Amino acid sequence: MTTTSELSFHSHANVFDRALSLEAVRSRAPAVFATAAADRLSAKYAFIPTAQVLSGLMSAGFLPVEARQASSRRANPLHARHVIRLRRRYETVSLKDTSNGLIVSRAAFPGYCVSHRGNVLDEVIAGALKVAERFESLAVQVERMEQRRLLKDEQLAFAERALALRFPDPAQSGMEPLQLLSCRRPEDVGDDLWRVYNRCQEHLLRGGLSRRSATGRLTRTRGISSIRRDVQLNGQLWDLAAQVLAA
């Protein structure tokens, strides 16, 4: 169980209008409300109900704003990998725009992993609060990215490196890095590092770009549906942006 990839923050000071009800969480990620561990797990595995953890975090001042779980034809939906994103009830850190989410890598932000042994609720809440205390440092990093202007060739170089994160073999991508620089959202218009990073993130995570398959057929890229890959790619993109900022 980890708190790093499950917490994010938004530019709005009050998140009540975005919060999910428990029923909405249940419909999107039924595994949150599982009451027992999967049969395949050993007797040494201590089952920790996610619903109990969620309740504790909500009591500590966090609200769920997104919930989803991995889909599998074979696995029981009550025992699927799942993720809940939470935000503090009243956020004191303000950003101009993080509307497509923000996930940073463990190299840039601490991660708190909790083993499935005994009563860990207090430990999970403590980790979440420690993560929340670091939000201000992230806000400073984002502001620096907003101030870093990229020339056209720098933007293209960033897009090339970003594309390679999803398609390491250029021959398999079937698309041009320049496609990642097109704008889907008006808030991503601009030449600063933050907006270039967001445009590439939006395209790589959401998919929908035209590409040529290995057989030459015109297709479109698929969005990332895997929770593990979503977190991994987001972290890699953050590291890439941080490297450009530090150069």
Side-chain angles (χ1 to χ4, degrees):
M1 183 176 294
T2 176
T3 61
T4 300
S5 62
E6 298 175 357
L7 293 172
S8 58
F9 59 104
H10 196 264
S11 57
H12 298 308
N14 190 326
V15 296
F16 279 107
D17 59 337
R18 292 176 54 86
L20 297 178
S21 67
L22 290 182
E23 284 307 309
V25 173
R26 187 189 300 274
S27 66
R28 301 181 186 195
V32 170
F33 298 92
T35 57
D39 293 337
R40 66 179 182 278
L41 297 176
S42 71
K44 296 181 180 179
Y45 178 87
F47 176 70
I48 303 172
T50 303
Q52 181 181 352
V53 175
L54 175 59
S55 177
L57 288 172
M58 292 176 69
S59 297
F62 291 87
L63 294 175
V65 294
E66 181 184 344
R68 63 191 180 96
Q69 69 180 52
S71 59
S72 174
R73 296 179 178 178
R74 297 182 179 180
N76 185 327
L78 287 179
H79 300 129
R81 181 185 297 273
H82 51 281
V83 60
I84 304 174
R85 291 191 180 187
L86 304 104
R87 295 193 175 105
R88 292 190 292 192
R89 183 173 282 108
Y90 292 104
E91 185 52 69
T92 58
V93 177
S94 177
L95 295 181
K96 292 180 181 179
D97 170 54
T98 55
S99 59
N100 63 343
L102 175 63
I103 296 178
V104 301
S105 69
R106 290 196 174 189
F109 213 62
Y112 297 93
C113 298
V114 179
S115 300
H116 281 249
R117 297 187 182 93
N119 184 2
V120 300
L121 182 58
D122 290 343
E123 192 174 349
V124 171
I125 293 175
L129 291 174
K130 288 179 181 178
V131 169
E133 290 171 358
R134 299 285 300 268
F135 284 173
E136 187 172 352
S137 65
L138 282 184
V140 172
Q141 189 87 329
V142 170
E143 288 177 357
R144 291 182 59 205
M145 290 184 185
E146 291 177 326
Q147 296 168 3
R148 174 70 159 86
R149 300 291 171 179
L150 297 183
L151 300 174
K152 296 298 182 183
D153 59 337
E154 291 178 310
Q155 294 180 39
L156 184 59
F158 185 93
E160 288 176 348
R161 295 174 65 185
L163 184 61
L165 294 176
R166 179 162 182 186
F167 301 101
D169 183 358
Q172 295 297 318
S173 73
M175 55 187 295
E176 297 295 328
L178 186 62
Q179 292 175 258
L180 299 185
L181 299 178
S182 62
C183 279
R184 287 183 173 180
R185 309 181 309 150
E187 55 266 42
D188 288 338
V189 176
D191 295 332
D192 59 89
L193 174 58
W194 176 246
R195 287 171 177 79
V196 170
Y197 156 65
N198 271 266
R199 294 204 297 271
C200 292
Q201 179 199 43
E202 188 78 6
H203 287 306
L204 291 176
L205 272 293
R206 309 302 181 194
L209 291 177
S210 298
R211 64 182 292 265
R212 290 284 179 183
S213 67
T215 60
R217 186 168 61 90
L218 185 63
T219 62
R220 290 190 177 276
T221 57
R222 296 182 178 180
I224 301 295
S225 58
S226 165
I227 292 175
R228 187 189 298 274
R229 181 61 176 138
D230 181 292
V231 172
Q232 179 190 49
L233 184 56
N234 265 300
Q236 291 173 331
L237 285 169
W238 175 270
D239 283 342
L240 177 57
Q243 292 167 15
V244 173
L245 187 63

